[in-house]
Amino acid sequence: MMQDTIAAIATGAGRSAIGIVRLSGPDALSGVERLFTPASGRKLSEYPPSSLVYGVLRDAEGRVIDHCLATYSLAPRSYTGEHTAELQCHGSPAVLHSALEALFTLGIRQAEAGEFTRRAFLNQRMDLTQAEAVIDLIDAETAAAARCAASQLGGALRRRIEGIYDDLVNLMAHFDVVLDYSDEDLDPFDEAEITTSVGKAAEELRQLAATYRRGRRLYDGVPCAIVGQPNSGKSSLLNAILGYDRAIVTDIPGTTRDTVEEKAVVGGVLLRLIDTAGLRDTEDTVERIGVERSRQALERAELALVLIDGTRPITDEDRAILAMAQQVPEVIVLATKADRPAFVLPELAQVFACSSVTGEGMEQLEREIAARFPEGTADQGEILTSQRQAQAIARAGECLQAVFDAMAMGMTPDAVLSDVELAMDALGEVIGRSVKEDVTQRIFDRFCVGK
């Protein structure tokens, strides 16, 4: 356990019904007992751990701060693995800061960002994938992202990686035993065992690495470019999806000169919507820059919403944009302005009418997007969600490929297996068995104070 005791406000800024001050460290319980008096007259420590006790909170000079609830847990059966305590006060910022200041007068210090979860990791209450899942759960913007983070918090990703790690440990252990006890009647160690074990691990790593794209979609959103000719209704569609006027809409072609990005959940899928400038040849310098950025947005997109003005015949320019969008993995074609009297649905495959004014077609759009980007199966927690994880898994895979390269060159088992050890080191970085301090610091820098 750490030698000092930390405290922080664990609830969000602003007024609320309840606000929580959290403590962790050797003086967590004794510190709260010096300021909190249960209404029963007993000490808080006389109640069983995890009991919720009503009483009065006072500062170091005996002035009443609040009538509130308190609870505590004893090491190692707590979130951090240390003695912990919580004061559940009324959610006035003034009350919470007064409680915190009173604790500081007792020698308890302000917690740093993510320090509670960092202590949980250092005290082996969770591994690094679970620690990262905590912040992912806080940041989750969709139900699917929250379920994935909750599954990882329960150890789903750790178990998958530990299975690969342990298989490689068994391989190394067999080699060491045969080497150290060559006179004993042991199963021989041969090239076939290396090929089988390493091949199995390499394939599992390949499958795991392939999950990173889906994992990032859950939290960053699917890059979605809204493209079409000027005045085809792109900004109107963006505003309709968001539910407020984010982009300027006029009847003047070329109103949008730059890309406008916002996130929205559509059909249960988090989209990173990019409203682009109308794609056309133009002599206007500013608009031309906007058109080029639109083309770049289309190149990065995983979903393209191609808009065609349904109040006029389809043009060669529309067809050129449709052809350009074919580079995007998923394309949905919308005929806009379905509320206008002159509307005619273009004769194209897989196109449907929509109106940003009446909402026609919006439910169908949601269904289409949900079908293109399904949430996945129950194993969703067994996916990579951070670049750190993906890079370490890729490095482990490269080390195992080096094993096969070394075998092809006729190198001895001890030289070959040195690459297996490097792969194990990379896997250990993912779950925290072997990780540098600077990597750990970067992970917990993402956290808010109080978590």
Side-chain angles (χ1 to χ4, degrees), residues 225 259 274 276 279 289-301 324 327:
T259 54
I274 309 167
T276 65
L279 294 172
I289 294 172
V291 170
E292 178 56 32
R293 290 186 179 181
S294 299
R295 297 181 192 276
Q296 293 172 359
L298 196 58
E299 292 174 358
R300 298 192 304 269
M324 191 186 309
Q327 66 182 305

Side-chain angles (χ1 to χ4, degrees), residues 213-441:
R213 186 175 181 182
R214 181 157 58 99
R216 287 322 309 160
R217 282 176 181 169
L218 282 173
Y219 299 99
D220 290 346
V222 176
C224 173
I226 306 174
V227 297
Q229 288 198 67
N231 227 16
S232 59
K234 299 182 297 299
S235 295
S236 295
L237 179 65
L238 174 70
N239 292 342
I241 291 174
L242 296 177
Y244 64 93
D245 290 342
R246 171 64 178 86
I248 298 173
V249 177
T250 74
D251 292 330
I252 303 171
T255 300
T256 301
R257 299 296 189 93
D258 200 354
T259 54
V260 177
E261 297 192 24
E262 288 289 343
K263 283 185 178 181
V265 178
V266 183
V269 180
L270 180 63
L271 298 182
R272 196 163 72 248
L273 296 162
I274 309 167
D275 178 24
T276 65
L279 294 172
R280 65 172 179 178
D281 293 328
T282 176
E283 297 301 320
D284 185 297
T285 302
V286 176
E287 186 180 359
R288 189 165 61 247
I289 294 172
V291 170
E292 178 56 32
R293 290 186 179 181
S294 299
R295 297 181 192 276
Q296 293 172 359
L298 196 58
E299 292 174 358
R300 298 192 304 269
E302 294 184 31
L303 170 64
L305 301 182
V306 181
L307 275 54
I308 296 175
D309 188 339
T311 64
R312 55 172 174 70
I314 189 169
T315 66
D316 290 341
E317 287 79 7
D318 290 322
R319 292 188 177 91
I321 294 171
L322 283 168
M324 191 186 309
Q326 296 312 305
Q327 66 182 305
V328 180
E330 299 292 340
V331 179
I332 298 175
V333 184
L334 307 173
T336 61
K337 307 180 184 179
D339 56 297
R340 302 284 182 87
F343 177 81
V344 177
L345 190 65
E347 293 183 1
L348 293 171
Q350 298 181 327
V351 59
F352 62 88
C354 75
S355 169
S356 300
V357 176
T358 65
E360 178 182 345
M362 299 304 289
E363 289 187 5
Q364 185 176 354
L365 177 60
E366 290 192 11
R367 291 193 297 270
E368 286 284 334
I369 292 173
R372 306 293 180 94
F373 300 94
E375 290 185 2
T377 59
D379 67 347
Q380 195 150 63
E382 297 182 1
I383 65 176
L384 305 178
T385 55
S386 78
Q387 187 180 47
R388 182 193 75 84
Q389 295 169 354
Q391 289 175 340
I393 292 298
R395 205 162 61 251
E398 291 168 359
C399 291
L400 294 187
Q401 181 56 50
V403 170
F404 291 111
D405 295 341
M407 289 174 63
M409 296 170 59
M411 299 183 71
T412 59
D414 58 330
V416 168
L417 293 179
S418 64
D419 287 311
V420 174
E421 292 182 332
L422 293 176
M424 291 169 58
D425 286 342
L427 292 175
E429 287 183 20
V430 181
I431 56 180
R433 288 190 177 183
S434 56
V435 62
K436 296 178 180 178
E437 174 62 24
D438 60 336
V439 174
T440 306
Q441 185 61 46

